[in-house]
């Protein structure tokens, strides 16, 4: 059984979707992209902290800035590529999970967790 699992892991690591994900993840680590993601995270944290103490009208400028940063993040080609490859890899891993665990027990839920 351990040998089969190791073969499965090796196959996943050699898959083009996994390689594309790794490349996209590595591409995120440049100064400009990291600064953009950091700015978004800091602004989001500040907004969440302040929304408990200020009314909506006081937060409107901050919300506008957050929207602009989010648009900038979503328009960034490196971040787009990362999200796309992440979802493709996640779909592959979901298919592998269903194949491996299908029929073992009816108590195992094989559907994605939705928030």
């Amino acid at each position: 059984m351990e040998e089969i699992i190791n073969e499965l892991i090796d196959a996943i690591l050699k898959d083009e979707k996994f390689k594309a994900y790794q490349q996209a993840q590595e591409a995120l680590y440049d100064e400009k992209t990291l600064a953009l993601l950091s700015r978004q995270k800091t602004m989001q944290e500040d907004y969440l902290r302040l929304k408990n103490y200020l009314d909506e009208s006081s937060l409107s400028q901050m919300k506008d800035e957050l929207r602009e940063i989010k648009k900038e993040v979503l328009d960034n080609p490196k971040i787009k590529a990362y999200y796309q490859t992440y979802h493709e890899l996640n779909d592959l891993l979901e298919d592998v999970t269903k194949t491996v665990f299908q029929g073992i027990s009816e108590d195992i839920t094989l559907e994605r967790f939705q928030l």
Side-chain angles (χ1 to χ4, degrees):
M1 182 64 148
E2 187 176 324
E3 185 177 319
I4 293 171
I5 292 171
N6 287 335
E7 288 175 12
L8 178 59
I9 292 169
D10 287 341
I12 292 169
L13 294 176
K14 291 176 184 174
D15 190 277
E16 290 303 314
K17 291 179 182 178
F18 182 77
K19 290 178 182 179
Y21 169 76
Q22 280 186 311
Q23 290 173 347
Q25 185 180 34
E26 289 171 9
L28 289 178
Y29 292 101
D30 71 50
E31 195 172 311
K32 183 179 176 183
T33 305
L34 288 176
L36 175 60
L37 291 170
S38 177
R39 198 169 89 224
Q40 180 192 27
K41 181 181 177 187
T42 301
M43 178 70 80
Q44 183 70 37
E45 289 170 350
D46 290 348
Y47 173 77
L48 290 174
R49 232 183 344 265
L50 291 174
K51 83 175 197 173
N52 294 323
Y53 304 105
L54 301 174
D55 60 13
E56 285 297 314
S57 62
S58 301
L59 292 170
S60 65
Q61 181 180 353
M62 185 177 266
K63 285 172 77 173
D64 290 343
E65 290 176 30
L66 261 173
R67 278 190 211 97
E68 288 177 28
I69 292 172
K70 184 176 182 177
K71 183 181 180 330
E72 196 175 337
V73 165
L74 294 176
D75 288 344
N76 184 297
K78 291 180 181 181
I79 296 172
K80 275 185 182 179
Y82 171 77
Y83 283 132
Q84 179 181 354
T85 59
Y86 171 84
H87 289 291
E88 289 171 359
L89 178 61
N90 198 44
D91 291 344
L92 171 69
L93 295 175
E94 184 176 351
D95 290 342
V96 168
T97 300
K98 285 180 180 179
T99 301
V100 170
F101 292 103
Q102 191 172 29
I104 290 180
S105 170
E106 291 181 18
D107 294 334
I108 297 176
T109 303
L110 299 176
E111 300 303 316
R112 282 187 186 173
F113 179 73
Q114 299 290 328
L115 293 176

